[in-house]
Amino acid sequence: MSTHSEVKVLELVSPIGHPRVATYAPRRTLETPVGRRVGFIWNQYQATRQFWPQLERAMEDACKPASVERAYKSNTWTPLEQDRFAALARSVDYLIVGVGA
């Protein structure tokens, strides 16, 4: 399992010239999702209400997870609360995140 201490995806520069560098959580390589603990983050956006439950069922059927955690947001426009995300990330081996979640 490899880890990366920092991943730079994009560097944004403010109009006054002070760079803002975002640091991301370490990423881990997952050899297989089968039998692992999975988490789902979904924003419950109206256009995905038919699709998302089917995706979850298909993933559960295919991967036979040891456990499943779900975080369903009530507001489609704001990110999942940082504390809630951190707790979820600690309790699973991988996350499946919906668009805008």
Side-chain angles (χ1 to χ4, degrees):
M1 188 177 295
S2 66
T3 61
H4 302 282
S5 61
E6 180 178 330
V7 176
K8 281 188 185 179
V9 176
L10 178 65
E11 181 174 313
L12 302 174
V13 179
S14 77
I16 57 174
H18 300 288
R20 177 179 171 256
V21 178
T23 304
Y24 296 89
R27 296 178 188 227
R28 300 174 292 170
T29 301
L30 184 67
E31 291 186 25
T32 179
V34 177
R36 304 289 180 113
R37 302 170 302 164
V38 63
F40 293 99
I41 301 176
W42 178 39
N43 67 358
Q44 299 191 72
Y45 187 68
Q46 186 64 36
T48 64
R49 289 193 181 244
Q50 297 296 316
F51 168 75
W52 191 261
Q54 292 180 49
L55 172 68
E56 285 189 11
R57 277 192 301 279
M59 288 299 298
E60 290 179 54
D61 289 346
C63 296
K64 308 291 187 236
S67 66
V68 178
E69 299 290 331
R70 292 177 171 83
Y72 292 168
K73 298 179 353 167
S74 59
N75 182 329
T76 61
W77 299 104
T78 59
L80 187 64
E81 299 84 15
Q82 191 171 7
D83 293 343
R84 191 171 172 202
F85 177 85
L88 178 63
R90 283 191 303 271
S91 69
V92 299
D93 297 310
Y94 66 102
L95 290 166
I96 298 175
V97 181
V99 176

